[in-house]
Amino acid sequence: MLDADIRDFFTSLDHDWLRKFLEHRIADKRVLRLIDKWVSAGVIEDGAWKPSEIGAPQGASASPLLANVYLHYVLDRWVRQWRRRHAHGDVIITRFADDFVAGFEHQGDAQRFLADLRERFAKFGLELHPDKTRLIEFGRFAGRNRQKRGEGKPETFDYLGFTHICGKTKNGRFWLRRITISKRMRTKLREVNDQLKLRRHEPYLNRANGWQAWCEGTSLTTPCPATLMQWQPFAPKRRDTGSRRSGAGARKPVSLGSGWTASQIGGCRPPVCCIPIPNSASTFGP
């Protein structure tokens, strides 16, 4: 598998080549002139206008369409020609905008394709990202081959928000697994889980103080009843003597008024609906 990534694709589109590609299908000069004005409109940074000699404006409604037109001639049509002339086995490729992956039956085809692709992109002002572009062994026989060589599990690759993994069914057959959580999200969830494990045995007031360190508010705000309602599920519980079943002897939560005051959580930022109340006296009304 070739897991490829184009470096700064939208900011590297060549306007001259893009116009030549559009002229294959569009003969109306007025439409071409309108597209030229669109891609060369420039950007405004700190109140100053800067022209855009290359690239397509990201966020513009025409940019995805122009990107598809550009890669249709630079990549898609070239891959069909390369597959008929140079490939010794099966070659598959799938692309969405500037993200694409390619699969090869033979390793030699994959290495030659990568070398030719770099030369192809260089002619049109594009470049593969050296750190994010890689060739990996993937598929039905990847696990068996790596096990014979004494290597670990097959590598994975991300495409369109899915992590693709070489898995196996209960019968031992190959199974292409797809996980929807990206690596970045898994890393963040792992960090949150580690923090929860460190704080799970601390007293609740210490955890509240730790939560205050994460908040962006200051001690100049006082929580309103809406804030107290948000903290109600986390209030400390009290167990009375007697049966644990429902009734008079059941476990009851302590109200915020008796065991938990607003001053203990005053450092947390109130919800957006709350109005900050300064500590000092003010002549203005609420």
Side-chain angles (χ1 to χ4, degrees):
M1 291 294 302
L2 172 62
D3 184 14
D5 182 84
I6 304 177
R7 171 183 285 180
D8 300 333
F9 172 69
F10 284 95
T11 59
S12 303
L13 294 181
D14 190 280
H15 292 178
D16 295 335
W17 279 112
L18 180 61
R19 183 180 179 85
K20 292 179 181 179
F21 297 151
L22 294 173
E23 288 176 351
H24 280 283
R25 296 294 185 91
I26 302 176
D28 194 340
K29 301 297 182 182
R30 295 171 296 180
V31 177
L32 295 175
R33 185 167 58 252
L34 178 61
I35 296 176
D36 290 340
K37 292 182 179 180
W38 205 318
V39 298
S40 60
V43 295
I44 297 178
E45 296 181 358
D46 299 330
W49 175 79
K50 295 182 180 180
S52 56
E53 300 178 355
I54 60 174
Q58 297 193 35
S61 57
S63 294
L65 178 60
L66 297 178
N68 280 326
V69 172
Y70 200 88
L71 285 180
H72 172 73
Y73 290 98
V74 175
L75 180 64
D76 298 345
R77 294 174 63 91
W78 175 79
V79 169
R80 298 172 190 170
Q81 182 183 13
W82 189 94
R83 179 166 45 193
R84 291 194 303 265
R85 293 185 178 182
H86 305 289
H88 296 85
D90 291 339
V91 178
I92 59 174
I93 184 171
T94 175
R95 180 179 66 86
F96 184 85
D98 61 325
D99 297 331
F100 68 95
V101 292
F104 304 87
E105 184 178 0
H106 303 295
Q107 183 179 2
D109 290 346
Q111 295 174 349
R112 182 174 182 179
F113 178 85
L114 180 58
D116 295 344
L117 182 61
R118 297 183 189 274
E119 297 179 1
R120 175 71 176 179
F121 276 178
K123 295 180 181 179
F124 298 94
L126 300 179
E127 182 185 2
L128 291 174
H129 200 289
D131 298 331
K132 298 181 180 180
T133 302
R134 60 195 179 118
L135 284 173
I136 62 174
E137 189 175 7
F138 194 89
R140 292 182 297 169
F141 310 107
R144 184 182 62 185
N145 296 337
R146 293 176 65 90
Q147 186 178 4
K148 291 181 180 179
R149 298 193 299 264
E151 300 176 355
K153 296 182 179 180
E155 298 182 72
T156 62
F157 67 93
D158 296 336
Y159 182 63
L160 299 183
F162 291 87
T163 301
H164 297 73
I165 304 173
C166 291
K168 290 184 179 181
T169 62
K170 294 182 179 179
N171 299 330
R173 302 180 61 182
F174 174 74
W175 176 32
L176 177 59
R177 295 185 56 194
R178 297 181 179 92
I179 300 178
T180 56
I181 302 179
S182 61
K183 291 183 179 179
R184 183 181 302 177
M185 180 63 69
R186 290 200 300 269
T187 303
K188 188 63 178 179
L189 291 177
R190 193 179 299 111
E191 293 177 359
V192 174
N193 189 30
D194 294 340
Q195 288 292 329
L196 293 175
K197 289 181 179 179
L198 291 175
R199 296 178 179 273
R200 62 183 175 180
H201 296 300
E202 295 181 2
Y204 189 76
L205 287 179
N206 293 348
R207 281 184 283 170
N209 295 333
W211 175 259
Q212 292 178 12
W214 287 79
C215 293
E216 298 178 358
T218 61
S219 58
L220 298 180
T221 60
T222 302
C224 68
T227 305
L228 299 180
M229 292 175 62
Q230 289 184 352
W231 282 82
Q232 177 69 42
F234 306 100
K237 303 296 188 298
R238 179 187 63 193
R239 178 179 296 181
D240 296 337
T241 58
S243 175
R244 297 186 60 183
R245 298 181 180 181
S246 60
R251 183 186 303 179
K252 299 179 181 179
V254 178
S255 62
L256 290 175
S258 60
W260 196 257
T261 61
S263 60
Q264 293 174 333
I265 59 175
C268 284
R269 187 176 184 177
V272 179
C273 63
C274 300
I275 302 176
I277 302 176
N279 293 334
S280 59
S282 176
T283 58
F284 298 95

